[in-house]
């Protein structure tokens, strides 16, 4: 995977002033910085595009139409704008295929593609807006973290679209794959350019153990947000109440979400009273800053049984799906009862950037928690499952969580994570910190779903049923050189490192600065958004 990039650098060497090599994938997690010639950037933005002349023309036209000086940032903006325009065209192209769908599964996969490409359009538009802020010269690394998170998400949506055609005759998939190829490559090129152009010089704070677990709140946290952390639902301000017995505003969570304001800039709180709610809830991206508050794990339960064997795509099996930015859930159980025999059955799917889950339970079997994209935080949550039951390509930190295994089908191997990072430039991965793996049957910590899969366990208890080798192959030698798996100061009978895999991509982390990269503060830029959620968190390492 690295060889074509090496060739590209050789081809464009007259345009590059390479200051240092990007080594963080193997040994060090921090990015390094490049200086690029604008003309070389324009060429690289169209790298591997089928009609390269047209691509170059579009970017040149974008630069001319917006009156930009030929500097690296203006070229990057033009490349993002070109990717955005091509993503919009791809949506139009895919819409035409809906009339050709031969089955309900085909039709559902096309609908998935439309929504996922719409995610990409939104994320590219956010990125353009962030570039305008960076253009002003404001050196705020939160802006840079945002941009990389959004470009990383935009790159993966097209893969999820194509995965939806599993179980079909693949006829339509082949057509749609052609429509998506250029968009995917353009976004990949933009992300690579951005990583080369920008560095994120995170520095470990003097005191890594920064906590917001007591009444010392940041100045910018509103009184309402403080109240959310400290109050019981009966004492806090809520905007809507859901109750099965009719004592609230709604009997259905989905109806409460439907009538919640769209694109809300303030927190909209929905209190869901105790009860078992048999419904599937899909919070679209326009439903921003929604907070669901229940009466506790096992008391407020949202349950469904959608699964792959019923004809649903994995993306659509979710009992609850959240896409609007800034979602928060507290004291709720998300459940999928499909069982192991029905294969994929998601309890919770998350595409909400800067989302947080506090004292929640995700209960399923295969593919329980779909951390699909963007930045996510889980605190004091329980996750149950059998196969790949924490999966996706979000940037997620799980802190003080409990992970429980369940009985799989015969011959299946229990595997906790299947992280789906497809590019070394993506800022995605799973960090499981200060948590507990309660394995009751032979269990593996993870396997590489995609080429650059990234998962770490830090300061986490592991029961004796975690297998000595720790990790499992996906198939053959796939991704064993390019993945990034790590363990840092774990404990318990299953934490011994002596029998662990010897893959090139597996790391026994000894340096605290490397481990620190995977903390809330650094990995998901948590200090810029988590304090305002009112959810407890530890910013750095606990030891």
């Amino acid at each position: 995977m690295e060889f074509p990039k090496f060739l590209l650098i050789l081809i464009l060497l007259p345009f590059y002033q390479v200051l240092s090599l990007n080594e963080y994938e193997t040994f060090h997690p921090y990015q390094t910085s490049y200086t690029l010639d604008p003309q070389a950037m324009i060429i690289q933005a169209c790298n591997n595009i089928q009609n390269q002349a047209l691509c170059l023309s579009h970017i040149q036209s974008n630069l001319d139409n917006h009156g930009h000086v030929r500097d690296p940032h203006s070229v990057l903006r033009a490349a993002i704008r070109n990717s955005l325009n091509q993503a919009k065209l791809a949506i139009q192209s895919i819409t035409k295929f809906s009339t050709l769908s031969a089955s309900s599964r085909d039709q559902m996969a096309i609908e998935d593609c439309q929504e996922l490409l719409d995610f990409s359009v939104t994320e590219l538009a956010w990125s353009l807006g962030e570039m305008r802020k960076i253009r002003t010269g404001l050196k705020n690394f939160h802006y840079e973290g945002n941009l990389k998170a959004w470009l990383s998400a935009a790159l993966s949506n097209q893969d999820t679209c194509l995965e939806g055609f599993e179980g079909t005759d693949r006829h339509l998939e082949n057509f749609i794959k052609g429509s998506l190829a250029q968009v995917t490559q353009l976004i990949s090129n933009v992300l690579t350019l951005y990583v080369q152009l920008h560095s994120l010089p995170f520095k470990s704070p003097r005191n890594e153990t920064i906590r917001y677990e007591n009444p010392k709140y940041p100045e910018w946290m509103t009184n309402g947000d403080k109240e959310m952390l400290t109050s019981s639902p009966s004492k806090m301000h809520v905007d809507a109440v859901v109750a099965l017995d009719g004592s609230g505003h709604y009997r259905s969570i989905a109806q409460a979400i439907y009538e919640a304001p769209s694109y809300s800039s303030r927190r909209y709180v929905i209190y869901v009273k105790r009860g078992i709610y048999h419904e599937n809830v899909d919070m679209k991206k326009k439903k921003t800053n929604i907070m669901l508050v229940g009466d506790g794990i096992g008391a407020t339960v949202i349950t469904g049984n959608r699964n792959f064997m019923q004809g649903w795509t994995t993306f659509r099996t979710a009992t609850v799906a959240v896409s609007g930015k800034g979602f928060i859930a507290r004291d709720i159980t998300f459940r999928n009862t499909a069982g192991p025999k029905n294969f994929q059955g998601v309890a919770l799917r998350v595409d909400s950037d800067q989302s947080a889950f506090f004292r929640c339970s995700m209960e399923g079997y295969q593919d329980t928690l779909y951390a699909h994209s963007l930045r996510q935080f889980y605190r004091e949550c329980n996750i149950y499952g059998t196969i790949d039951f924490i999966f996706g390509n979000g940037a997620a930190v799980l802190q003080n969580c409990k992970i429980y295994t369940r009985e799989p089908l015969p011959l299946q191997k229990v595997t906790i994570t299947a992280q789906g990072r497809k590019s070394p430039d993506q800022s995605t991965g799973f960090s499981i910190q200060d948590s507990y793996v309660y394995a009751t049957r032979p269990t593996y910590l993870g396997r590489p779903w995609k080429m650059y899969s990234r998962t770490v366990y830090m300061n986490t208890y592991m029961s004796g049923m975690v297998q000595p080798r720790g990790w499992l192959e996906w198939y053959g030698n796939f991704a064993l050189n390019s993945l990034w798996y790590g363990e840092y100061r774990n404990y318990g009978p299953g934490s011994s490192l002596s029998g662990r895999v010897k893959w090139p991509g597996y790391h026994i982390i000894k340096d605290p600065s490397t481990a620190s990269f995977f903390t809330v503060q650094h990995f998901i830029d948590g200090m810029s958004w988590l304090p305002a959620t009112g959810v407890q968190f530890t910013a750095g390492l606990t030891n």
Side-chain angles (χ1 to χ4, degrees):
M1 294 298 289
E2 292 301 318
F3 186 63
K5 289 184 180 178
F6 178 64
L7 276 181
L8 180 65
I9 290 172
L10 286 179
I11 294 167
L12 299 177
L13 194 57
F15 300 109
Y16 281 78
Q17 296 174 13
V18 183
L19 300 182
S20 54
L21 294 176
N22 188 346
E23 298 176 341
Y24 76 96
E25 283 306 319
T26 305
F27 300 109
H28 199 276
Y30 297 95
Q31 296 178 25
T32 54
S33 182
Y34 290 72
T35 299
L36 296 173
D37 176 84
Q39 189 58 38
M41 290 181 65
I42 294 172
I43 295 170
Q44 189 173 352
C46 296
N47 183 46
N48 291 328
I49 298 301
Q50 188 171 8
N51 191 337
Q52 192 171 50
L54 184 62
C55 175
L56 291 169
S57 173
H58 284 158
I59 292 179
Q60 294 283 5
S61 177
N62 268 311
L63 285 165
D64 295 338
N65 291 341
H66 291 82
H68 292 316
V69 178
R70 295 294 197 276
D71 61 45
H73 281 86
S74 66
V75 173
L76 187 58
R77 282 195 301 276
I80 294 173
R81 193 175 290 109
N82 184 45
S83 300
L84 174 60
N85 292 337
Q86 291 301 318
K88 290 177 179 178
L89 290 174
I91 293 176
Q92 295 174 14
S93 175
I94 287 173
T95 301
K96 297 174 184 176
F97 288 116
S98 59
T99 58
L100 302 176
S101 58
S103 67
S104 59
R105 194 186 285 275
D106 270 331
Q107 185 62 41
M108 189 179 303
I110 290 171
E111 291 171 4
D112 287 357
C113 290
Q114 291 169 326
E115 181 169 0
L116 286 155
L117 272 168
D118 191 48
F119 285 174
S120 293
V121 166
T122 298
E123 289 147 2
L124 290 167
W126 288 348
S127 300
L128 263 183
E130 212 72 354
M131 284 299 297
R132 294 188 190 102
K133 296 176 184 177
I134 295 172
R135 186 185 180 190
T136 65
L138 191 59
K139 298 297 183 181
N140 185 332
F141 70 80
H142 297 315
Y143 292 156
E144 296 182 354
N146 287 341
L147 215 158
K148 193 172 183 188
W150 298 334
L151 291 175
S152 294
L155 179 58
S156 286
N157 292 324
Q158 291 70 236
D159 279 11
T160 308
C161 156
L162 296 176
E163 287 156 8
F165 289 94
E166 182 183 352
T168 71
D169 62 10
R170 305 281 186 174
H171 181 68
L172 271 179
E173 179 191 7
N174 291 330
F175 286 114
I176 289 175
K177 187 181 292 184
S179 299
L180 297 182
Q182 178 158 298
V183 173
T184 303
Q185 187 62 54
L186 285 170
I187 298 171
S188 178
N189 292 347
V190 167
L191 181 57
T192 299
L193 283 174
Y194 180 74
V195 169
Q196 292 174 350
L197 188 60
H198 289 271
S199 63
L200 300 181
F202 292 125
K203 295 180 180 179
S204 300
R206 293 177 183 176
N207 180 6
E208 274 290 347
T209 307
I210 303 172
R211 303 170 186 267
Y212 288 96
E213 300 180 340
N214 53 51
K216 296 179 181 178
Y217 300 100
E219 293 178 359
W220 61 88
M221 186 186 290
T222 67
N223 288 332
D225 286 331
K226 297 174 189 176
E227 187 182 66
M228 290 174 200
L229 175 59
T230 59
S231 301
S232 65
S234 61
K235 295 179 181 179
M236 64 189 290
H237 166 77
V238 298
D239 296 286
V241 178
V242 181
L244 290 171
D245 61 8
S247 61
H249 304 104
Y250 308 95
R251 292 178 183 269
S252 158
I253 300 167
Q255 188 63 32
I257 296 294
Y258 179 77
E259 296 192 16
S262 297
Y263 304 108
S264 175
S265 59
R266 74 167 187 88
R267 192 81 63 210
Y268 185 87
V269 182
I270 301 172
Y271 169 40
V272 186
K273 288 187 175 182
R274 66 175 56 245
I276 300 177
Y277 295 80
H278 294 270
E279 56 180 308
N280 289 85
V281 180
D282 190 355
M283 285 175 250
K284 299 298 187 183
K285 68 177 184 180
K286 67 182 179 180
K287 297 298 181 179
T288 56
N289 289 311
I290 299 288
M291 180 177 187
L292 289 186
V293 180
D295 280 321
I297 290 175
T300 298
V301 179
I302 311 171
T303 185
N305 68 351
R306 284 184 184 175
N307 61 78
F308 181 81
M309 297 302 290
Q310 292 173 335
W312 298 95
T313 61
T314 301
F315 189 75
R316 294 288 172 204
T317 63
T319 301
V320 174
V322 294
S323 306
K325 189 176 181 180
F327 176 79
I328 303 173
R330 194 187 90 179
D331 297 320
I332 292 178
T333 293
F334 304 94
R335 182 180 292 164
N336 190 311
T337 60
K341 68 181 182 300
N342 288 309
F343 301 105
Q344 296 95 324
V346 175
L348 174 67
R349 171 171 57 82
V350 183
D351 286 286
S352 170
D353 194 27
Q354 300 182 341
S355 55
F357 299 82
F358 183 41
R359 297 195 307 242
C360 291
S361 186
M362 298 79 176
E363 301 173 4
Y365 295 85
Q366 182 173 343
D367 294 359
T368 303
L369 173 58
Y370 196 174
H372 181 260
S373 66
L374 299 167
R375 291 165 290 187
Q376 311 172 16
F377 179 67
Y378 301 82
R379 172 80 181 203
E380 296 175 31
C381 292
N382 301 334
I383 304 102
Y384 297 78
T386 55
I387 307 298
D388 305 336
F389 59 97
I390 303 172
F391 78 114
N393 195 24
V397 175
L398 286 70
Q399 206 172 79
N400 294 79
C401 291
K402 296 176 181 176
I403 297 169
Y404 297 94
T405 61
R406 287 177 155 177
E407 187 70 40
L409 292 175
L411 304 181
Q412 286 185 330
K413 295 179 179 179
V414 176
T415 312
I416 297 171
T417 67
Q419 204 282 325
R421 183 165 167 256
K422 63 173 287 184
S423 162
D425 296 323
Q426 289 178 306
S427 58
T428 55
F430 298 156
S431 175
I432 299 171
Q433 180 188 12
D434 298 333
S435 294
Y436 307 87
V437 176
Y438 293 123
T440 55
R441 47 198 45 80
T443 296
Y444 298 89
L445 301 175
R447 59 178 183 155
W449 184 23
K450 298 291 174 70
M451 181 66 74
Y452 295 93
S453 182
R454 181 161 64 176
T455 301
V456 299
Y457 289 78
M458 305 191 298
N459 298 317
T460 289
Y461 172 82
M462 299 179 180
S463 69
M465 293 301 279
V466 172
Q467 294 301 280
R469 69 195 309 267
W471 306 80
L472 189 66
E473 298 83 354
W474 187 264
Y475 63 83
N477 293 324
F478 172 73
L480 302 188
N481 292 309
S482 52
L483 59 79
W484 211 107
Y485 288 165
E487 296 184 61
Y488 177 75
R489 292 193 172 185
N490 299 312
Y491 63 101
S495 66
S496 174
L497 301 174
S498 61
R500 289 296 195 251
V501 294
K502 305 301 181 185
W503 307 336
Y506 170 72
H507 306 273
I508 298 172
I509 302 173
K510 298 178 181 178
D511 180 7
S513 67
T514 300
S516 178
F517 175 78
F518 297 101
T519 60
V520 161
Q521 182 174 13
H522 298 158
F523 197 56
I524 57 174
D525 193 21
M527 293 301 293
S528 71
W529 59 277
L530 265 176
T533 67
V535 174
Q536 298 175 358
F537 70 94
T538 301
L541 296 172
T542 50
N543 62 42

